[in-house]
Amino acid sequence: MEVGIHYAPAPQGSGARIVKPGWRVDAISVVNPNLQPGDSQQVGTDFMEWETVIGLEIHTQLATRSKIFSGASIAFGAEPNTQACAVDLGLPGVLPVLNKEAVRMAIKFGLAVGAQIAPKSIFARKNYFYPDLPKGYQISQYELPVVGKGKLTIELEDGSSKTIGITRAHLEEDAGKSLHEDFHGMTGIDLNRAGTPLLEIVSEPDMRSAKEAVAYMKKIHSLVRYLEICDGNMQEGSFRCDANVSVRKKGAPEFGTRAELKNINSFRFVERAINFEVERQIDILESGGKVVQETRLYDANKHETRSMRSKEEAMDYRYFPDPDLLPLAINAQDIQAVRETLPELPDAKKQRFMQAFGLSDYDAAILTGDRDLANYFETVVKTAGEAKLAANWIISELSGRLNKEDKLITDSPISAAHLAGMLQRLTAGAITSKMAKEVFDAMWNGEGDADTIIEKRGLKPADNSAVEKIIDELIANNAGQVEQYRAGKDKVLGFFVGQVMKLSQGKADPAQVNKLLLEKLKK
Amino acid sequence: MSLYRKSLAELAAGLHTKQFSSVEVTQHFLDRIAKHDKTLNSFVSITAEQALAQAKQADAQLAKGSMAALTGVPLAQKDIFCTQGVKTSCGSKMLDNFIAPYDATVVSKCKQAGLVMLGKLNMDEFAMGSSNETSYYGPVKNPWDTTRVPGGSSGGSAAAVAARLTPAATGTDTGGSIRQPAALCNLTGLKPTYGLVSRWGMIAFASSLDQAGPITQTAEDAALLLNTMVGFDDKDSTSLNRPTVNYTASLKDSLQGLRIGLPKEYFAAGLNSDVAKVIETAIAEYKKLGATITDISLPNSHLSVPAYYVIAPAECSSNLSRFDGVRFGYRCNDPKDLNDLYQRSRGEGFGAEVKRRIMIGTYALSAGYYDAYYLKAQKVRRLISDDFKRAFEKVDVIMGPTSPNTAFKLGEHSDDPITMYLCDIYTIAVNLAGLPGMSIPAGFAHNLPVGLQLVGNYFSEAKLLNIAHQYQQVTNWHTQMPKGFE
């Protein structure tokens, strides 16, 4: 998402870019000179008469301790098949027992998007054969999902917002993994992932561009992390999506024929895959062809989508209610109990940041885009006050640095307390902005807190008499420039400021220099 | 009296009073198995060594006085229950090599109760059959006439208890698989209310219908074994958390004023007239015990077989998908690719009846047919339940024949699945409704046993056992043994 950010006030989400799975923030993005085909800037004006219609199915892995229907651990990265118990292996005679924590997490999500929680929902079997699907069916929800219709508002680049409908969200189990390498023409099966709880969040076909889809996906990503129901780790597959994409002539009443793009596991890929697919479909339609309804796989390496199976080849999953599981009944008390655990949600937090701290929409959006980042900010402000200053430092210096070094805010080498300490010194005038950057670098390198660094390095702003002396000398030696300034050429002030800073070896406080120069030049 | 003639209750009493040891009893039955099972083929596995070790342990407990009601009494398990370290075949080539790494809840409960497991009993493949002819291990013979079937699917259980190769056995009942073989072999069989006995470790045929229960000589034995088998199990989401009932406590209650309902549909065309006569005589006996008889109707009875043969195959088609040759069980030789692995492993591993039901079920669940078959069948299921609900407003127990006929000849219906399916015409509705049902020995027709079916309201097992026990106090059908096995 390097593109689509620019310097314009950015919507929440798009200011914070995801470089690699995990959440990293970078406000100082530039237009990427190395545009990849499919990046948003490449599509546009040619296709003005066409409208893109997108719906997303987002699979979020729920952050439970154990699997959705067994007691086995869901921790990532274990040796193959060491986290698969008899239930996960689908041994004869085993039975599923629903993990109540997964249900609570689904309710949490439902409440956060204002959806109705079904008083009774049904687990169904989705039947198909695949070696990494141990039972020959996946337990999912079909006709009656746990979370019904809800909605989510996304902010767009032009500063406007749009509400995306959420059709449903349902609980299901993940399959295992087939490993095709290292087995000499055979396939290895790792069932550690089998039975991992997923919440599949299905949107309405409400998005009209790849960017909207990305904004929506990011918003969901932020939300599930706020709710602490998903770690959002896309590299490990904890958060991935399928996109239903179609195009139609602008103003057409009916949707076009859609293709389903499978298993997209990054924000960048979702944009590229959709844009590629839109282009492909428009090409077909403009050359008089017909789009076929099919499932397509996005290949990030070749940057293309290719057909997996057509509608005719679509599997008949023979869904039917799982007789091993009773209908899931959720009453008002259950819902209330979950409601009481809801954290402040991103939109509410953003509003509060704007009101309580006087932050701009842009800054507030970035800071609340990630719950950990928001917490960091609030911790800094609690100690240092100066919310706007704190926001600037966190958004530009800290996030930029984190992004560059591929670190999460939770792994920041500079703690919130250290940053607050440095900001306190800065606002007290004990160091200059330039020195603050030096302190920041030193803190980043683990040299201790601000006071320690300031003391060790003997940092202090040049005193006024020294600065005054420099200014007096400059005025005496540069009569021409003084004349120009007094004649109304304000720009000359910059020359003097620069000279003072140079002669003071940067120790002068620019604000102080400005003030003194203005006084002395007037005389 | 010889040990094999004793009921569970009598064996338990003898063990408690040290008239004999568990090792003696166990060896006695192992000897009988060795002697007679070549004829009957009722066992798939005989676990002599483990049994004697368990018996020794039981004797130690008995000596210490730290025993439970059935400590040291032998029993055999239907081969549908997973047994840790002992082959669990489910009567199928598919699982001929399968040794479960865990015990079914029924099995672990029996172990905890000190029961000694003699072995694993033959059955119709994956419990699909009414004659025990679909087993990969060959048909089981009926001890009353070894040219005839013992019924199914718990045919091995019934034959083994009937010939007293084990004093009691476990069975499972999806559409009559405990009651019909009990009827055909002159035994007491009980299918409890759905959810009373845990299904954990019981290889699923049709999950919404499967229920385990005892196959015994007497109602008292069934009560004793049921006490051991029931109980809430958090590993089975359909297991019911009910207050504990001692099923032997009310056996002696009077039947004075008992209201018996006779559904006219169970005495209509299709019922063998000699079987009908036996049932009528049994009903007359209940009158003598103080019961009143009411004619009732279960108007949707004729829909139970068609509904069952949609729902059960539908569930089995999905339940049996896990047998794919990938992780356990039979795998074909040298699969060329994935499809070949699936097709040949399943094609070679499953028998004809299992394949037939998988295909029926797959069809019934297919897009475009689901509403017409599966959904419709579920609606019929509700109608059938409602029939019973209305009936139990008027009567305490419903009685009728367990099976329309006595044991038929081996091979007689093998090529005619429909006739075979109709063997369960009186038992299937009980599974569809989830009700408890029993079959008890009621007499003989042409020297073959006839079973009387008792159907009660939900959780009325204690009442059913009481009704059965009182009948067994005034009749001696249940003590009759097949000739040649004495």
Side-chain angles (χ1 to χ4, degrees), chain A residues 42-112:
Chain A
Q42 294 226 325
V43 257
T45 49
D46 293 359
F47 306 122
M48 284 305 280
E49 58 185 304
W50 294 98
E51 182 177 54
T52 305
V53 176
I54 303 160
L56 293 186
E57 292 168 17
I58 297 177
H59 302 258
T60 55
Q61 178 180 319
L62 296 176
T64 53
R65 276 199 306 255
S66 56
K67 292 188 176 176
I68 186 166
F69 298 117
S70 84
S73 165
I74 63 163
F76 180 83
E79 284 294 301
N81 298 311
T82 56
Q83 292 188 354
C85 68
V87 174
D88 309 320
L89 293 172
L91 288 186
V94 299
L95 295 168
V97 176
L98 179 60
N99 182 338
K100 292 197 176 96
E101 193 52 34
V103 176
R104 278 191 280 272
M105 289 180 173
I107 295 173
K108 222 172 171 182
F109 175 80
L111 292 175

Side-chain angles (χ1 to χ4, degrees), chain B residues 155-458:
Chain B
S157 304
V161 180
R164 306 298 193 259
L165 307 189
T166 176
T170 55
T172 60
D173 190 318
T174 304
S177 284
I178 286 175
R179 289 160 291 158
Q180 185 251 15
L184 270 46
C185 292
N186 200 44
L187 297 169
T188 301
L190 169 65
K191 181 208 93 77
T193 304
Y194 182 81
L196 212 59
V197 177
S198 168
R199 293 186 298 115
W200 172 260
M202 186 177 120
I203 297 176
F205 160 17
S207 311
S208 74
L209 302 162
D210 297 342
Q211 186 60 199
I215 295 182
T216 55
Q217 303 163 41
T218 67
E220 185 186 20
D221 284 4
L224 281 166
L225 200 45
L226 190 63
N227 277 343
T228 306
M229 295 174 77
V230 298
F232 173 68
D233 183 2
D234 58 14
K235 293 200 286 297
D236 174 1
S237 305
T238 61
S239 169
L240 296 166
N241 204 345
R242 301 278 305 174
T244 309
V245 175
N246 178 1
Y247 293 101
T248 57
S250 50
L251 290 174
K252 297 197 171 91
D253 289 0
S254 159
L255 298 188
Q256 199 61 46
L258 178 76
R259 298 172 303 166
I260 297 173
L262 301 181
K264 63 176 189 214
E265 293 81 4
Y266 286 21
F267 293 89
L271 175 61
N272 177 302
S273 59
D274 294 320
V275 171
K277 273 184 210 132
V278 171
I279 299 301
E280 281 153 22
T281 311
I283 303 292
E285 200 65 52
Y286 273 106
K287 268 193 203 159
K288 283 192 232 159
L289 289 168
T292 59
I293 311 297
T294 313
D295 287 329
I296 59 163
S297 173
L298 299 170
N300 293 295
S301 291
H302 64 290
L303 298 175
S304 62
V305 169
Y308 176 88
Y309 277 98
V310 170
I311 293 167
E315 291 183 11
C316 100
S317 72
S318 174
N319 282 334
L320 269 58
S321 292
R322 69 189 61 200
F323 304 106
D324 56 5
V326 174
R327 298 168 316 289
F328 49 77
Y330 180 77
R331 177 186 286 188
C332 67
N333 282 326
D334 301 323
K336 283 199 296 289
D337 55 24
L338 184 59
N339 271 340
D340 190 43
L341 169 74
Y342 284 153
Q343 284 170 10
R344 283 200 291 123
S345 296
R346 289 169 66 80
E348 294 162 15
F350 288 139
E353 182 61 26
V354 170
K355 284 185 217 168
R356 179 174 8 249
R357 296 200 195 189
I358 289 173
M359 283 190 277
I360 293 171
T362 302
Y363 180 80
L365 289 176
S366 298
Y369 300 101
Y370 180 86
D371 289 3
Y373 291 105
Y374 186 78
L375 215 57
K376 181 66 79 58
Q378 290 292 10
K379 286 177 185 162
V380 168
R381 189 173 184 175
R382 170 57 63 85
L383 294 178
I384 288 166
S385 299
D386 290 347
D387 280 358
F388 281 110
K389 203 172 153 194
R390 271 191 294 276
F392 285 121
E393 286 164 9
K394 282 183 268 176
V395 301
D396 303 312
V397 63
I398 293 168
M399 289 192 187
T402 304
S403 180
N405 289 292
T406 52
F408 48 90
K409 291 272 187 188
L410 286 156
E412 192 178 333
H413 299 327
S414 297
D415 301 326
D416 183 0
I418 302 293
T419 309
M420 189 74 94
Y421 295 169
L422 289 172
C423 290
D424 296 330
I425 189 162
Y426 305 133
T427 51
I428 273 173
V430 174
N431 298 78
L432 289 172
L435 292 165
M438 278 188 86
S439 181
I440 56 173
F444 292 81
H446 310 293
N447 299 318
L448 289 168
V450 171
L452 171 71
Q453 182 173 226
L454 320 177
V455 180
N457 211 338
Y458 298 104

